[in-house]
């Protein structure tokens, strides 16, 4: 055994004792273990692994020997993997240790009991027989992970030495095979295109470690694409060459030497687009340019369509205000129109009146919104089915398919691409529309007349673009602005305060107001984060003790929503979710198959999920038909299988352990995530701890989420600071300019 200090070595070891373990923030586990070498020598090993290491496990460790001043010679492992099993008992130990994700000790026992001495043969050569014990999904998972054992270890070590996780490194090795190292040394930036999740910074780190040419065209173009992506995440469709040069310089790119050549290459390889505006060049990623240009073209072309005149002299119309009547009339006499205004001005009333006239004239229509919550809210407020944009597109495709079959056409041909399924489509919460979503919508809506409804004072879309503002200010699309607040009764104080925020008025609260300030009974004695956490605890405990008709709370989990500007810190959603979970859904215990009492919860990166928890989807999952922002409730948990069932408004889906990264607890969500939703009771955190995020549109959006009760927690000065800041960064977009130009060209 090579025991020379500071020299790399690869050892086969048997774990004899686990001395210490500590779970890291990234889900990995730090271990201090005692082992025996192949020479039967005792050895202390320190390592990090993504599973707990167990006694009697055989491992392969790659690292260095060191001389610890206190404990003497030790082995510091940079990489540890389970040794490939050589017999049925080895397979059992391997599976029992959790080496195959989703297969634990109980499942391993079932396999050993069923297959006995044949387990090794089944695991290595006859894996189809696993169906005798395991589900189809678990068999597929088993086969995929078992194959990983046989990967080229040299390539795997190479990647992990260069800042890649074992999971990503394994994927790369499987795709590139024995050419992994040579392909990466030739161009490490190819990883960005080939593997989602490997960004410029990771590729650049690898490039730096292998001494790759920092002036390489590959590097400069990758840096440009990275910068454009970051720019889009800030809401911009494009960036000026001057701003691009500045950002590239910060990435140690010699722009004077390399920028022009990289831009030319990006244009030639169809990755980039350039647009000149006012004698200045702006750079786009190809996809974003197409979305901006195509959506402007489609919308401008739609403006030339003819719309029949409808009889508006009905009792329901006559009861409207002049503003609302104007909105209804404009929407029914134009192929594209916008109805806009703040909270409580009667946008929903105008929509319902439009629907009344469409029904009376036997005109087909559809209602939609950018998110599932907004669509559900539209359904509740109008009495008609609201769809997300994605679901509406699917519905349109299905109806087109059926129409082609009815006409005797081949359903697989695209002969009805321009067939209009709905004569009118009403899009609510249009402030949430980004450029890509608008383009996807317009490509699929055919010749439908469009009515966009939205509040321009709310937060802009999370994605790139400034769609609603561009539609309103273009001057070529008919717009009705509703200004008169007429919502009375429940929630009228909410509307009043929201209007004050919108107008930039200094906020004042009397003793009856739901604002937790220094004179309120729940007000913290000091401004520390822990004090505000205690404030939330006191409020929830009080609400739970007084759930009655007066409080208007039916279910504290479903009807109460905490909103905060932040994700991290003690007043961010992660910590607040943990706090509220313990208050509203404390841990329960259950018996496993062995009769042991175990917690009924599943652990993920940030949270422990429990039956009854409210959760939110954080990415689109088209297979499950669950989309970013959808709220669901955990119905059951299978601790042994590491899975749970979530009910999203009747859509029940199984989430395996690998799916848990797609969901978060939703007792508290960010104000950005709340847009398009409405809650019986909203608790809003607005303190100086979120100083950089204290802005008018953020506070306004939060307040207008509450239906019956809004409780503001924070300092009055912080609230008024938010009211005073109305300088939302202008987004770099040319959708409005393109819209005008295309309209003029028609």
């Amino acid at each position: 055994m090579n025991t020379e200090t500071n020299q790399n070595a690869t050892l086969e070891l048997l774990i004899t004792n686990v001395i210490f373990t500590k779970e890291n923030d990234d889900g990995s586990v730090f271990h201090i273990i005692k082992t025996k070498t192949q020479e039967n020598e005792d050895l202390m090993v320190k390592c990090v692994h993504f599973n707990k290491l167990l006694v009697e496990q055989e491992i392969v460790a790659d690292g260095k020997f060191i001389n610890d001043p206190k404990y003497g010679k030790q082995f510091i492992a940079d990489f540890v993997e389970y040794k490939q099993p050589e017999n049925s008992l080895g397979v059992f130990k391997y599976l029992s240790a959790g080496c195959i994700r989703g297969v634990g000790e109980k499942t391993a026992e079932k396999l050993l009991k069923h297959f006995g001495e044949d387990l090794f043969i089944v695991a290595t050569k006859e894996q189809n027989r696993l169906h005798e014990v395991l589900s189809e999904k678990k068999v597929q998972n088993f086969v995929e992970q078992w194959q990983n054992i046989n990967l080229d270890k040299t390539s795997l070590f190479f990647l992990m030495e260069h800042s890649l996780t074992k999971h990503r490194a394994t994927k790369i090795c499987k795709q590139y095979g024995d050419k992994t190292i040579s392909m990466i040394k030739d161009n490490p930036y190819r990883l960005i295109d080939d593997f989602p999740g490997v960004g410029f910074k990771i590729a650049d780190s690898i490039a730096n470690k292998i001494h790759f040419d920092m002036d390489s065209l590959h590097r400069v173009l990758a840096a440009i694409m990275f910068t454009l992506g970051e720019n889009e995440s800030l809401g911009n469709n494009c960036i000026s060459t001057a701003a691009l040069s500045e950002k590239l310089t910060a990435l140690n790119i010699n722009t004077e030497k390399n920028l022009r050549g990289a831009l030319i290459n990006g244009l030639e390889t169809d990755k980039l687009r350039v647009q000149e505006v006012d004698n200045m060049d702006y750079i786009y990623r190809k996809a974003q340019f197409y979305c901006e240009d195509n959506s402007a073209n489609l919308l401008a072309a739609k403006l030339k369509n003819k719309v029949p005149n409808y009889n508006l002299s009905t009792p329901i119309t006559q009861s409207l205000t002049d503003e609302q009547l104007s909105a209804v009339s404009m929407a029914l006499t134009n192929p594209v129109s916008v109805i806009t205004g703040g909270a409580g001005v009667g946008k929903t009333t105008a929509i319902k009146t439009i629907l009344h006239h469409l029904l009376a004239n036997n005109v087909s229509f559809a209602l939609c919104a950018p998110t599932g919550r907004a669509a559900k809210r539209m359904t509740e407020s109008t009495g008609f089915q609201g769809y997300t944009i994605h679901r509406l597109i699917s519905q349109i495709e299905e109806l087109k398919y059926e129409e082609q079959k009815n006409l005797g056409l081949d359903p697989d041909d695209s002969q009805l691409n321009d067939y209009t399924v709905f004569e009118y489509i009403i899009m609510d919460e249009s402030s949430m529309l980004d450029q890509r979503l608008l383009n996807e919508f317009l490509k699929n809506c055919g010749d439908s007349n469009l009515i966009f409804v939205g509040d321009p004072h709310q937060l802009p879309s999370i994605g790139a673009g400034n769609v609603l503002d561009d539609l309103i200010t273009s001057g070529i699309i008919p717009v009705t602005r509703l200004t008169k607040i007429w919502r009375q009764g429940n929630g009228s104080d909410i509307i009043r305060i929201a209007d004050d925020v919108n107008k930039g008025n200094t906020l004042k609260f009397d003793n009856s107001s739901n604002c937790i300030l220094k004179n309120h009974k729940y007000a913290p004695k000091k401004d520390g984060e822990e004090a505000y956490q205690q404030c939330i605890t006191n409020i929830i405990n009080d609400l739970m003790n007084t759930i009655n008709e007066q409080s208007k709370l039916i279910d504290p989990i479903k009807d109460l929503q905490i909103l905060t500007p932040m994700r991290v810190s003690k007043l961010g959603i992660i910590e607040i979710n943990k706090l509220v979970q313990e208050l509203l859904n404390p841990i329960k215990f259950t018996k496993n198959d062995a009769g042991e009492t175990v917690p009924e919860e599943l652990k993920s990166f940030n949270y422990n999920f429990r039956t009854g928890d409210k959760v939110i989807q954080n990415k689109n999952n088209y297979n499950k038909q669950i989309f970013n922002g959808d709220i669901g409730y955990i119905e059951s948990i299978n601790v042994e299988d590491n899975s749970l069932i979530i009910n999203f408004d009747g859509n029940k889906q199984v989430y395996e352990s690998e799916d848990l990264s797609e969901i978060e607890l939703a007792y508290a969500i960010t104000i950005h995530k709340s847009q398009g939703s409405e809650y019986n009771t909203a608790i809003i955190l607005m303190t100086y701890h979120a100083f950089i995020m204290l802005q008018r549109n953020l506070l306004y959006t939060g307040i207008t989420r509450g239906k019956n009760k809004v409780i503001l927690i924070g300092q009055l000065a912080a609230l008024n600071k938010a009211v005073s800041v109305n300088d939302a960064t202008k987004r770099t977009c040319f959708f409005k300019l393109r819209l005008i130009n295309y309209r003029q060209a028609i």
Side-chain angles (χ1 to χ4, degrees):
M1 180 177 67
N2 182 3
T3 61
E4 187 178 347
T5 59
N6 295 318
Q7 291 295 314
N8 289 326
T10 299
L11 307 177
E12 293 186 6
L13 304 167
L14 174 68
I15 301 174
T16 57
N17 191 15
V18 179
I19 299 172
F20 177 79
T21 62
K22 181 184 178 183
E23 190 167 343
N24 300 320
D25 291 339
D26 63 355
S28 64
V29 182
F30 172 74
H31 296 80
I32 300 177
I33 57 177
K34 277 188 175 180
T35 68
K36 280 197 179 293
T37 69
Q38 288 182 305
E39 293 80 9
N40 204 34
E41 296 177 6
D42 293 324
L43 179 65
M44 190 84 73
V45 177
K46 294 180 179 178
C47 61
V48 173
H49 195 64
F50 277 87
N51 294 95
K52 285 188 177 180
L53 299 175
L54 304 176
V55 174
E56 294 189 8
Q57 273 187 306
E58 293 181 287
I59 59 174
V60 178
D62 185 74
K64 294 178 180 179
F65 286 95
I66 65 163
N67 275 316
D68 187 276
K70 185 175 181 180
Y71 298 104
K73 186 164 287 185
Q74 296 181 345
F75 191 74
I76 307 298
D78 300 316
F79 176 73
V80 169
E81 66 175 345
Y82 306 117
K83 185 181 177 183
Q84 184 173 351
E86 297 177 350
N87 52 47
S88 293
L89 182 59
V91 173
F92 171 71
K93 290 181 178 180
Y94 184 84
L95 298 178
S96 297
C99 304
I100 299 291
R101 190 174 59 254
V103 178
E105 187 173 355
K106 296 298 179 184
T107 304
E109 288 176 356
K110 290 179 183 177
L111 290 169
L112 184 63
K113 183 178 179 180
H114 185 81
F115 295 113
E117 294 182 358
D118 291 338
L119 181 57
F120 178 79
I121 295 172
V122 171
T124 55
K125 299 178 182 180
E126 300 176 4
Q127 294 168 336
N128 193 53
R129 290 184 59 193
L130 293 169
H131 287 99
E132 297 171 20
V133 178
L134 305 180
S135 67
E136 175 64 30
K137 187 169 183 177
K138 281 195 172 182
V139 172
Q140 291 178 356
N141 182 56
F142 183 102
V143 172
E144 179 182 345
Q145 294 187 64
W146 191 270
Q147 290 172 344
N148 294 344
I149 304 174
N150 299 312
L151 291 174
D152 177 20
K153 299 299 188 294
T154 303
S155 299
L156 201 62
F157 291 160
F158 170 81
L159 291 169
M160 297 188 66
E161 285 174 355
H162 295 95
S163 308
L164 286 167
T165 65
K166 184 181 179 183
H167 180 68
R168 277 191 182 141
T170 299
K171 281 188 172 182
I172 295 168
C173 288
K174 288 174 71 173
Q175 183 165 324
Y176 289 168
D178 58 5
K179 297 181 179 177
T180 298
I181 295 176
S182 62
M183 290 178 69
I184 292 174
K185 286 186 174 180
D186 178 66
N187 175 19
Y189 300 96
R190 69 187 342 133
L191 293 168
I192 300 171
D193 294 328
D194 292 346
F195 301 95
V198 178
F200 174 78
K201 291 184 178 179
I202 292 176
D204 207 43
S205 174
I206 294 172
N208 186 55
K209 290 177 180 178
I210 64 175
H211 306 293
F212 193 76
D213 182 9
M214 294 291 103
D215 288 329
S216 165
L217 185 64
H218 294 305
R219 179 173 187 261
V220 181
L221 186 57
I224 292 173
M225 300 300 291
F226 165 75
T227 301
L228 291 175
E230 291 284 289
N231 188 57
E232 288 173 20
S233 71
L234 297 174
N236 305 296
N237 284 345
C238 56
I239 190 171
S240 69
T241 51
L244 175 62
S245 179
E246 183 179 339
K247 291 182 179 295
L248 291 176
T249 300
L251 295 174
N252 296 317
I253 301 289
N254 187 333
T255 54
E256 290 187 8
K257 178 181 177 182
N258 300 313
L259 179 56
R260 178 176 173 80
L263 290 175
I264 292 172
N265 183 266
L267 293 169
E268 290 176 345
T269 56
D270 209 27
K271 291 184 175 182
L272 302 176
R273 291 289 186 272
V274 62
Q275 177 71 50
E276 183 182 342
V277 180
D278 295 333
N279 298 316
M280 184 175 292
D281 287 340
Y282 291 85
I283 311 301
Y284 292 77
R285 289 201 294 185
K286 174 190 174 182
Q288 199 65 24
F289 177 90
Y290 168 77
C291 290
E292 184 182 87
D293 188 70
N294 192 59
S295 58
N297 187 18
L298 292 172
L299 205 55
K302 191 178 286 292
L303 289 169
K304 67 182 181 181
N305 293 349
K306 302 287 185 182
V307 178
N309 291 321
Y310 298 101
N311 180 15
L312 301 180
S313 58
T314 64
I316 191 171
T317 303
Q318 293 171 359
S319 67
L320 300 180
T321 66
D322 289 343
E323 283 183 341
Q324 291 170 327
L325 181 60
S326 175
V328 173
S329 176
M330 177 203 63
L332 292 173
T333 54
N334 288 279
V336 184
S337 60
V338 175
I339 301 173
T340 186
V345 296
K347 296 190 294 294
T348 300
T349 299
I351 292 173
K352 290 166 75 173
T353 305
I354 292 168
L355 297 179
H356 170 84
H357 286 290
L358 295 177
L359 285 170
N361 288 274
N362 199 30
V363 176
S364 61
F365 62 84
L367 310 178
C368 69
T371 67
R373 295 294 292 175
K376 183 182 179 184
R377 184 180 172 192
M378 198 178 192
T379 301
E380 294 168 347
S381 63
T382 66
F384 295 93
Q385 179 64 54
Y387 299 92
T388 64
I389 293 175
H390 297 100
R391 286 178 177 141
L392 178 63
I393 291 172
S394 296
Q395 180 79 355
I396 290 172
E397 289 301 315
E398 289 174 13
L399 291 171
K400 282 184 179 180
Y401 185 88
E402 290 299 319
E403 183 66 18
Q404 290 196 196
K405 286 201 308 183
N406 293 336
L407 294 175
L409 302 173
D410 184 352
D412 294 325
D413 289 342
S414 304
Q415 300 179 56
L416 288 182
N417 278 343
D418 297 326
Y419 174 72
T420 300
V421 175
F422 301 107
E423 293 179 64
Y424 277 83
I425 299 177
I426 300 176
M427 173 77 71
D428 201 11
E429 297 291 351
S430 297
S431 62
M432 302 174 71
L433 273 175
D434 62 40
Q435 206 70 62
R436 293 197 177 202
L437 195 54
L438 175 67
N439 183 62
E440 192 67 21
F441 169 67
L442 292 174
K443 286 194 306 179
N444 289 276
C445 69
D447 253 354
S448 300
N449 300 307
L450 306 178
I451 304 169
F452 295 94
V453 183
D455 184 350
H457 306 298
Q458 293 190 33
L459 292 165
S461 62
I462 295 175
N466 202 20
V467 171
L468 181 60
D469 187 71
D470 285 346
L471 292 176
I472 293 172
T473 60
S474 68
I476 65 170
I477 297 192
V479 177
T480 301
R481 291 177 173 84
L482 303 179
T483 59
K484 183 179 179 181
I485 297 175
W486 75 317
R487 187 191 300 176
Q488 301 297 325
N490 291 339
S492 59
D493 284 346
I494 297 172
I495 300 303
R496 176 183 58 78
I497 294 173
D499 189 53
D500 281 340
V501 171
N502 193 24
K503 293 176 178 177
N505 296 336
T506 301
L507 299 182
K508 297 178 181 179
F509 301 93
D510 57 34
N511 291 330
S512 63
S513 299
N514 291 312
C515 187
I516 312 302
L517 302 170
K518 62 182 180 180
N519 295 322
H520 197 281
K521 66 177 180 176
Y522 295 129
K525 304 301 182 187
K526 54 184 181 179
D527 287 335
E529 292 176 310
E530 292 87 353
Y532 285 107
Q533 283 191 348
Q534 186 59 50
C535 178
I536 294 171
T537 300
N538 293 341
I539 294 169
I540 291 176
N541 284 333
D542 190 44
L543 289 172
M544 291 181 67
N545 291 331
T546 58
I547 294 177
N548 53 34
E549 187 177 347
Q550 183 180 0
S551 73
K552 298 184 177 70
L553 273 174
I554 301 171
D555 184 332
I557 292 180
K558 292 184 177 180
D559 295 331
L560 175 66
Q561 186 62 61
I562 299 173
L563 305 176
T564 175
M566 302 175 290
R567 283 192 57 82
V568 296
S569 87
K570 291 184 178 180
L571 298 182
I573 62 169
I574 295 174
E575 292 301 318
I576 297 298
N577 266 317
K578 293 176 182 177
L579 172 71
V580 179
Q581 183 190 46
E582 292 303 321
L583 293 170
L584 297 181
N585 194 26
I587 190 169
K588 303 177 184 67
F589 294 87
T590 187
K591 297 279 188 182
N592 62 17
D593 293 344
E596 302 166 329
T597 301
V598 294
E600 190 181 335
E601 62 181 12
L602 288 185
K603 294 184 178 182
S604 73
F605 183 60
N606 284 319
Y607 302 113
N608 296 338
F609 295 110
R610 302 168 184 171
T611 301
D613 275 337
K614 176 164 64 174
V615 295
I616 186 169
Q617 183 80 7
N618 57 34
K619 64 183 292 187
N620 292 333
N621 188 319
Y622 295 96
N623 292 329
K624 294 182 185 321
Q625 284 294 291
I626 306 295
F627 301 98
N628 190 0
D630 285 354
I631 298 287
Y633 299 88
I634 298 177
E635 285 199 347
S636 63
I637 289 176
N638 190 321
V639 177
E640 184 177 346
D641 288 344
N642 289 321
S643 66
L644 47 82
I645 296 176
I646 306 176
N647 188 341
F648 292 91
D649 289 328
N651 181 6
K652 297 183 182 183
Q653 293 290 338
V654 177
Y655 280 66
E656 307 280 359
S657 57
E658 60 265 29
D659 302 323
L660 297 184
S661 62
E662 295 185 7
I663 58 171
E664 296 182 295
L665 291 180
Y667 301 103
I669 61 175
T670 63
I671 296 175
H672 282 85
K673 278 283 190 182
S674 75
Q675 197 163 352
S677 301
E678 190 175 59
Y679 313 102
N680 187 297
T681 297
I683 298 176
I684 303 171
L685 284 161
M686 194 65 67
T687 73
Y688 268 120
H689 300 94
F691 185 84
I692 195 170
M693 302 190 73
L694 296 177
Q695 294 187 0
R696 184 183 300 176
N697 57 1
L698 191 79
L699 178 58
Y700 173 82
T701 300
I703 290 173
T704 54
R705 300 310 92 200
K707 184 178 181 181
N708 291 308
K709 185 188 270 301
V710 172
I711 302 173
L712 292 166
I713 300 177
Q715 307 97 341
L716 182 58
L719 293 173
N720 281 316
K721 167 70 176 176
V723 171
S724 69
V725 178
N726 193 33
D727 58 352
T729 304
K730 180 176 173 59
R731 297 185 168 193
T732 307
C733 311
F734 295 110
F735 173 58
K736 178 170 70 175
L737 178 63
R738 296 182 191 280
L739 194 58
I740 295 170
N741 290 340
Y742 275 121
R743 181 58 179 152
Q744 291 174 345
I746 294 175

